[in-house]
């Protein structure tokens, strides 16, 4: 099942809502349950909010692609911000370099089936997360 890539520029808080809604709509088309659609859209919100808070702007890409031999709804969030210096620490509950609660990345990781971060200081960040497409789709 191939779907076109959706790209949402994230610059202001309203863009977070657009990205969240696009993720929810794609998940619905793919046959995800209401619970899964809520988890996917919440994870997108968390990652997009991090983008506006720490990097200023970036983009969210939504697609259906093969991951580990299965079809998955894939979310890629990429920015050219300051990067994440200590990725394992950033994935710990409660760790925050800003004013947040430190639940964004670890929360998103719990909501999705996989979450991978590629980042380095001064090099921006790419977060890729996915949820397996239901077998019933």
């Amino acid at each position: 099942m191939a779907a076109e890539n959706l790209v949402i520029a994230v610059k202001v808080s309203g863009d977070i809502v657009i990205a969240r809604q696009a993720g929810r709509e794609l998940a619905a088309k793919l046959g995800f349950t209401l619970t899964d659609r809520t988890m996917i859209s919440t994870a997108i919100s968390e990652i997009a909010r991090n983008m506006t808070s720490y990097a200023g702007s970036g983009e969210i890409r939504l697609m259906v692609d093969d991951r580990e031999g299965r079809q998955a709804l894939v979310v890629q969030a990429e920015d050219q911000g300051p990067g994440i210096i200590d990725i394992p620490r950033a994935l710990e509950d409660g760790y925050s370099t800003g004013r947040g609660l430190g639940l964004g990345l670890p929360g998103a990781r719990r909501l999705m089936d996989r979450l991978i971060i590629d980042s380095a200081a001064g090099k921006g960040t790419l977060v890729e997360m996915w949820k397996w497409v239901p077998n019933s789709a």
Side-chain angles (χ1 to χ4, degrees), residues 3-120:
E4 73 282 358
N5 290 1
L6 299 171
V7 180
I8 299 105
V10 178
K11 297 178 179 158
V12 296
S13 60
D15 297 334
I16 297 169
V17 176
I18 294 167
R20 175 186 176 97
Q21 187 61 33
R24 181 181 285 275
E25 289 171 9
L26 178 56
K29 285 181 194 168
L30 294 170
F32 282 94
T33 64
L34 178 59
T35 300
D36 281 343
R37 293 192 306 256
T38 300
M39 290 193 296
I40 291 163
S41 61
T42 300
I44 291 169
S45 289
E46 293 297 330
I47 297 305
R49 188 168 291 111
N50 277 2
M51 194 177 286
T52 61
S53 296
Y54 298 106
S57 65
E59 68 179 27
I60 302 275
R61 290 183 295 277
L62 304 171
M63 67 197 84
V64 178
D65 203 3
D66 182 75
R67 291 293 182 271
E68 299 175 9
R70 294 174 62 186
Q71 288 290 296
L73 186 160
V74 179
V75 179
Q76 293 177 336
E78 189 167 18
D79 66 60
Q80 301 305 313
I84 300 171
I85 295 167
D86 188 344
I87 293 171
R89 186 134 186 246
L91 286 166
E92 292 175 8
D93 282 330
Y95 176 74
S96 177
T97 58
R99 295 182 305 277
L101 298 174
L103 298 175
L105 288 171
R109 182 174 63 176
R110 279 192 298 274
L111 292 166
M112 300 296 278
D113 290 323
R114 296 279 190 283
L115 183 140
I116 299 167
I117 301 172
D118 183 12
S119 185

Side-chain angles (χ1 to χ4, degrees), residues 119-137:
S119 185
K123 302 287 187 197
T125 301
L126 171 63
V127 175
E128 181 174 281
M129 56 188 179
W130 64 85
K131 200 149 201 60
W132 307 121
V133 171
N135 290 332
S136 58

